[in-house]
Amino acid sequence: MGSSSSLHLPGISVSAIFFLVILFLQQPEQSSSAIILSLKKRHGGSSGSSSSGNQYSSSRPSAGFQGNKSTCTLFLGTWVRDSSYPLYKPSDCPNVVEPEFDCQMYGRPDSDYLKYRWQPQNCNLPTFNGAEFLLKMKGKTIMFAGDSLGKNQWESLICLIMSSAPSTQIEMRRGLPLSTFRFLDYGITMSFYKAPFLVDIDSVQGKRVLKLDEISGNANAWHDADLLIFNTGHWWSHTGNMQGWDLIQSGNTYYQDMDRFVAMEKALRTWAYWVESHVDRSKTQVFFLSISPTHDNPSDWAAPSSTGSKNCYGETEPITGAAYPVSSYTDQLRSVIVEVLHGMHNPAFLLDITLLSSLRKDGHPSVYSGLISGSQRSRPDQSDCSHWCLPGLPDTWNQLLYTILFY
């Protein structure tokens, strides 16, 4: 058996220019992963007007897509202050936002981080209209599958919808690995399926075995969905007590550890084969969320922390300037996803949020999470700089999803 007690991360110099080259050259040839988008309806999705039977009116007027669709760079742009934000309050979606994401509830003293809107190059995002979303997705099943960043996005989407369609009947059931939320009046089911590596983990003789070539155990829960949003990334870096497996199986060989990028690529190729062979793309739309960056090290954003902290603790403003401060490790994880999607016959749409999210060092729970006790909140080293406050950044991920689906 191979073994390793630490994660080797080869150093790579990352710059905005390098990332732009990747963005435009490494994307799959099909428009489903293009950064300069022609925003057309995909796989039967409607882009028409809302039905006259709509019994709800949005609390915010629905502004359509504005700009040149052929040159709109959805995932490149700037963060601008907007006093109309945030788009909802946690009270608009009671019991949906979990304590780990509810930063205001758990004592975050500042609120300016809530007041930023993503401004893409050459266009404006349409206003998210939850009532319109319900009408266009009526009778459909939506599945988020992946790690807790997927859960972050799932809860955000529920809240965005509920805030503009507050009277619809709902039902929510939390569980492991599957949690489900239903908009009963519309026959819409929105689920989150916890599968941090996407591929299966089985117990073998008391050991957790990560099976890089097997996915059917998880995928059985996904195959009937009309909209699939996948993600993976953060768990591949965990070591020690945080590591999600005891052994890795690749083919007929077991390993105590292996190069994490190699392991992730093998798992993603298993996932890609499952999508190609089991998902009817005339019926089902498939998205893949790119890597959500962490902000554990201020040197990643090439500026001293405003508080002298060693992580996101105390950060209250986005990063400004022309550079996108993406760490070498995050860059490499994203490149694995891009390479696998590029090799697919019909690629999943890359929801490429890495760059725009890298600017939001202010958007993490830090110590203001329900999973951090009161005594720990005085310790910046306990900060959660991986997940995102809600309301917050994942709302923008879902605005981008909404734009791609319906415009």
Side-chain angles (χ1 to χ4, degrees):
M1 288 186 182
S3 65
S4 174
S5 60
S6 63
L7 177 60
H8 176 63
L9 300 177
I12 293 179
S13 175
V14 179
S15 68
I17 293 175
F18 175 77
F19 235 99
L20 287 170
V21 171
I22 289 179
L23 281 169
F24 286 99
L25 298 183
Q26 282 196 314
Q27 299 300 328
E29 293 178 1
Q30 298 194 28
S31 62
S32 62
S33 294
I35 295 303
I36 295 183
L37 294 172
S38 175
L39 298 176
K40 300 176 181 177
K41 57 183 182 178
R42 300 170 48 77
H43 303 307
S46 172
S47 60
S49 60
S50 300
S51 166
S52 59
N54 180 10
Q55 58 181 309
Y56 304 109
S57 60
S58 172
S59 59
R60 294 174 297 275
S62 179
F65 184 95
Q66 297 176 358
N68 188 332
K69 294 182 182 180
S70 64
T71 62
C72 175
T73 55
L74 282 182
F75 303 111
L76 295 176
T78 57
W79 290 97
V80 297
R81 284 188 62 87
D82 189 328
S83 61
S84 70
Y85 275 54
L87 299 175
Y88 61 87
K89 304 181 296 295
S91 59
D92 293 329
C93 45
N95 302 314
V96 172
V97 177
E98 291 185 292
E100 62 185 307
F101 309 138
D102 195 347
C103 304
Q104 292 291 309
M105 173 65 73
Y106 288 91
R108 181 160 178 170
D110 62 304
S111 59
D112 281 356
Y113 71 95
L114 297 169
K115 300 293 185 180
Y116 287 93
R117 170 177 55 81
W118 178 243
Q119 180 63 59
Q121 293 179 6
N122 303 321
C123 59
N124 295 321
L125 294 180
T127 302
F128 188 98
N129 186 323
E132 178 183 43
F133 188 97
L134 290 173
L135 287 166
K136 291 186 174 182
M137 298 301 291
K138 188 172 183 179
K140 296 187 181 297
T141 298
I142 302 165
M143 175 72 73
F144 291 85
D147 61 25
S148 52
L149 277 306
K151 181 171 69 171
N152 225 173
Q153 186 182 7
W154 173 65
E155 293 181 8
S156 161
L157 184 58
I158 294 171
C159 287
L160 284 167
I161 296 170
M162 290 185 68
S163 68
S164 55
S167 301
T168 185
Q169 297 298 305
I170 59 172
E171 175 185 271
M172 187 172 195
R173 295 181 180 178
R174 293 192 187 270
L176 282 175
L178 182 66
S179 295
T180 298
F181 191 98
R182 292 186 172 90
F183 292 95
L184 300 176
D185 297 334
Y186 292 86
I188 296 173
T189 299
M190 292 176 51
S191 299
F192 168 70
Y193 187 94
K194 183 179 180 180
F197 306 102
L198 297 181
V199 292
D200 295 342
I201 296 181
D202 289 338
S203 178
V204 179
Q205 297 181 354
K207 299 285 188 180
R208 298 167 301 165
V209 179
L210 177 61
K211 299 193 169 185
L212 301 181
D213 307 316
E214 296 186 21
I215 199 170
S216 60
N218 288 330
N220 284 336
W222 310 335
H223 60 79
D224 289 332
D226 300 289
L227 174 61
L228 287 163
I229 305 100
F230 294 99
N231 90 291
T232 188
H234 286 202
W235 282 55
W236 294 98
S237 68
H238 292 175
T239 58
N241 293 334
M242 296 292 292
Q243 184 173 291
W245 68 82
D246 300 307
L247 296 171
I248 298 175
Q249 182 180 359
S250 180
N252 294 321
T253 304
Y254 292 86
Y255 303 87
Q256 287 184 345
D257 208 344
M258 66 166 59
D259 182 287
R260 302 303 178 85
F261 301 112
V262 172
M264 179 178 169
E265 181 178 350
K266 286 177 178 286
L268 282 178
R269 293 200 183 280
T270 298
W271 163 84
Y273 178 79
W274 177 83
V275 170
E276 302 264 58
S277 57
H278 290 83
V279 177
D280 181 355
R281 301 297 291 279
S282 67
K283 169 184 177 291
T284 301
Q285 294 167 280
V286 182
F287 287 78
F288 205 104
L289 186 75
S290 70
I291 300 299
S292 173
T294 63
H295 289 92
D296 292 305
N297 186 354
S299 65
D300 288 341
W301 56 86
S305 169
S306 59
T307 61
S309 165
K310 295 182 179 180
N311 54 37
C312 67
Y313 177 80
E315 298 293 347
T316 60
E317 296 179 342
I319 299 166
T320 58
Y324 290 93
V326 178
S327 71
S328 166
Y329 180 66
T330 298
D331 173 30
Q332 292 176 81
L333 288 176
R334 180 191 170 280
S335 295
V336 172
I337 294 172
V338 169
E339 182 176 347
V340 171
L341 295 187
H342 187 79
M344 295 177 70
H345 174 70
N346 187 4
F349 194 112
L350 182 64
L351 198 60
D352 202 359
I353 53 80
T354 302
L355 294 180
L356 65 91
S357 302
S358 72
L359 299 173
R360 295 307 305 271
K361 60 182 172 59
D362 59 322
H364 299 285
S366 180
V367 296
Y368 305 108
S369 163
L371 300 185
I372 296 176
S373 68
S375 61
Q376 291 175 313
R377 290 200 183 106
S378 61
R379 297 177 54 191
D381 62 311
Q382 297 295 312
S383 293
D384 177 357
C385 299
S386 298
H387 300 103
W388 304 94
C389 297
L390 291 180
L393 177 66
D395 304 330
T396 295
W397 302 350
N398 284 319
Q399 284 182 287
L400 291 163
L401 175 67
Y402 174 85
T403 301
I404 295 161
L405 285 172
F406 303 134
Y407 292 86

